[in-house]
Amino acid sequence: MAGYAPITPTDQAEMLAAIGVDSIDELFAQIPEDLRLGRPLDLPDGMSESEVYRFLAGLADTNLDAERIPSFLGAGMYDHYVPAIVEAIIGRSEFLTPYTPYQPEVSQGGLQVMFEFQTAMSELTGLPVSNAGLYEGPSAAASAAYLAMGQTGRTGLVASRGLHPHSRETLATHAVGFGATVAEVGLEGGLTSGEELEAAVTEETAAVFLQNPNFLGAVEDVAALGEAVAAKGALLVVAVDPMTLGILRPPGECGADIAYGEGQPLGNRLDFGGPSFGFFCAKEEHIRKMPGRIAGETTDADGRRGFVLTLQTREQHIRREKATSNICTAQALNALAGMVHLAWLGKRGFVELGELLARRTAHARRLIGGLEGFEPLADAPVVREFAIRSERPLDEVLRLPGDEAGPGPLLPVYPLGRDYPEYEDAFLVAITESRSVEDVEWLAHMLEHGQAGWDEHIHDHDEAGNPVANGAVR
């Protein structure tokens, strides 16, 4: 294992000599004695590579992943089926290791993908311009705030409590550097309070942030809420779930000035939470203040169709005081996966997927909300996610049977108490096309009865009694 050591004793001695000290202890002499460990780290003996592999494989076997148990976790990241064509395309060398798009003569493939991606996101959101993608959803929220402040000359930000907690936290963090303030608007019946929103928006408000569907899964009346925003001259920023845009009115038709979102549901697996990509669309008057890159279509000297970077409003390209962001890159490969997924679905398939999600989600809410001791948190329409309240403590309701080694794992749903103390008795259930009707019945049964009796109820299960989650629509 010596080949994996970061430095050898000889390397260490040379570095100490170069900085003029005789030992590691002398190097850290400025650190008080009582703050230093004073003994070797309590680590086990080293292992060979094959032993490490077996050890890590054993640890991995203790995890319950979405391939072994149906996952109803959502809250922004979803277990969608990713068609095989996605990995086949993004694994091609011209996409996996593209040259920098600053030089279009050697980057036509990458630039065309950006252009097609922008076109697709613009069509989905109903807004005329899109950039080539951002890191992920919450950082896109910060970019929207910066754009709105520059466009309006105001410093007030208003965010619905239905906005994803990560986006709200990101806005609060960036507001400190922006010199902005952030006011939150509460929820009423699971929806943004129109009365509170109208009171919160003032002549100093640069932007109002809504989410549709909101974090609780409820479909907001964005057009109605946006009237109070427009009346005060603020920008309306709407976070959207791309998978719902096949059946919901796009934000551009509801008065939104900016729409952004998390792109993970499109062509990207969960992969421990990342990487993913963000998307950002806006009205045309905001194009020069948009973050990141925008690819455009052109013709070369021979009249052939080609693609270039039309706008690069990053501080690496233009004067820093005129830059709209310091984004060093974008998740271009992940955005390509999203574009391939959309092309695979096609326009009709995308709508059909949204309809399937809505039907299956409605069935799941009726089934689980009708169980004794459970009820929906809100009655508002939902598309792919909903919140359920429990009369019993969630630690008791969601805990699967354990063994002598300790308690069992939690059911794969999202407890709301970690983000909403007022909903400590509630949890989110997310539906994708990978969750079959049998999977929903399994969840309902486990919430009501636990494992008892399930083996006799369902035939499509593994040795542990869990339905087989093979990613197929059943």
Side-chain angles (χ1 to χ4, degrees), residues 310-341:
T310 303
L311 287 175
Q312 305 176 72
T313 54
R314 308 184 305 144
E315 64 179 32
Q316 289 93 334
H317 294 108
I318 62 177
R319 290 196 300 275
R320 185 170 188 177
E321 63 272 15
K322 293 194 176 291
T324 62
S325 76
N326 65 348
I327 296 170
C328 295
T329 184
Q331 302 290 80
L333 194 65
N334 298 82
L336 168 60
M339 188 61 242
V340 175
H341 193 181

Side-chain angles (χ1 to χ4, degrees), residues 446-472:
M446 297 299 284
L447 288 168
E448 188 174 27
H449 303 294
Q451 189 70 39
W454 181 251
D455 291 347
E456 291 74 33
H457 178 70
I458 192 169
H459 301 292
D460 186 12
H461 62 271
D462 60 21
E463 293 179 357
N466 301 318
V468 177
N470 58 9

Side-chain angles (χ1 to χ4, degrees), residues 83-105:
I85 192 174
V86 171
E87 290 191 6
I89 295 295
I90 68 173
R92 291 179 62 92
S93 60
E94 59 262 51
F95 297 126
L96 188 60
T97 58
Y99 192 69
T100 175
Y102 312 149
Q103 295 183 269
E105 65 273 17

Side-chain angles (χ1 to χ4, degrees), residues 217-298:
V219 176
E220 298 270 12
D221 189 346
V222 174
L225 293 170
E227 291 177 3
V229 180
K232 292 294 176 65
L235 300 190
L236 177 60
V237 182
V238 182
V240 291
D241 176 349
M243 286 303 197
T244 67
L245 293 177
I247 59 174
L248 294 182
R249 282 181 67 194
E253 292 183 11
C254 299
D257 296 278
I258 299 170
Y260 76 90
E262 174 62 58
Q264 181 274 329
L266 292 172
N268 285 259
R269 301 183 191 281
L270 288 170
D271 292 339
F272 300 99
S276 178
F277 70 93
F279 56 90
F280 191 105
C281 304
K283 291 182 176 178
E284 194 160 0
E285 59 260 37
H286 305 311
I287 190 169
R288 291 193 173 274
K289 293 186 181 297
M290 287 178 65
R293 305 164 169 145
I294 297 178
E297 186 178 15
T298 186

Side-chain angles (χ1 to χ4, degrees), residues 124 241-247 266 341-342 344-357:
L124 286 180
D241 176 349
M243 286 303 197
T244 67
L245 293 177
I247 59 174
L266 292 172
H341 193 181
L342 282 172
W344 178 78
L345 284 166
K347 289 186 177 181
R348 185 64 234 166
F350 189 66
V351 172
E352 290 174 353
L353 176 57
E355 292 170 342
L356 181 149
L357 295 179

Side-chain angles (χ1 to χ4, degrees), residues 4-225:
Y4 296 96
I7 57 172
T8 66
T10 301
D11 293 332
Q12 180 175 301
E14 289 178 358
M15 287 188 285
L16 292 171
I19 60 177
V21 295
D22 295 327
S23 66
I24 294 291
D25 287 338
E26 185 180 348
L27 177 64
F28 296 118
Q30 298 293 329
I31 299 175
E33 191 89 28
D34 59 338
L35 296 180
R36 286 185 263 164
L37 186 61
R39 60 172 176 77
L41 292 173
D42 185 15
L43 295 174
D45 293 337
M47 293 186 285
S48 67
E49 184 173 328
S50 60
E51 289 173 321
V52 170
Y53 180 86
R54 285 196 297 272
F55 174 73
L56 294 177
L59 290 180
D61 283 342
T62 65
N63 291 326
L64 285 177
D65 56 51
E67 299 296 326
R68 297 170 58 189
I69 187 172
S71 174
F72 296 87
L73 285 163
M77 306 291 279
Y78 302 91
D79 178 36
H80 279 282
Y81 175 71
V82 178
I85 192 174
V86 171
E87 290 191 6
I89 295 295
I90 68 173
R92 291 179 62 92
S93 60
E94 59 262 51
F95 297 126
L96 188 60
T97 58
Y99 192 69
T100 175
Y102 312 149
Q103 295 183 269
E105 65 273 17
V106 289
S107 301
Q108 283 301 292
L111 286 165
Q112 181 173 357
V113 166
M114 289 182 184
F115 184 81
E116 302 292 353
F117 169 81
Q118 292 165 189
T119 302
M121 301 318 298
S122 179
E123 290 181 355
L124 286 180
T125 60
L127 288 163
V129 292
S130 166
N131 71 7
L134 295 172
Y135 286 127
E136 29 62 44
S139 66
S143 292
Y146 189 72
L147 185 156
M149 291 172 63
Q151 196 79 358
T152 64
R154 303 174 180 181
T155 57
L157 305 173
V158 174
S160 165
R161 198 152 168 74
L163 188 67
H164 196 295
H166 294 173
S167 288
R168 287 189 281 120
E169 291 166 5
T170 302
L171 286 176
T173 299
H174 281 260
V176 176
F178 291 165
T181 60
V182 182
E184 279 195 358
V185 173
L187 302 176
E188 186 177 340
L191 296 167
T192 303
S193 169
E195 187 176 336
E196 283 192 36
L197 179 69
E198 191 168 353
V201 182
T202 71
E203 304 295 337
E204 294 303 315
T205 302
V208 174
F209 288 77
L210 303 176
Q211 180 168 317
N212 193 40
N214 66 26
F215 190 73
L216 302 183
V219 176
E220 298 270 12
D221 189 346
V222 174
L225 293 170

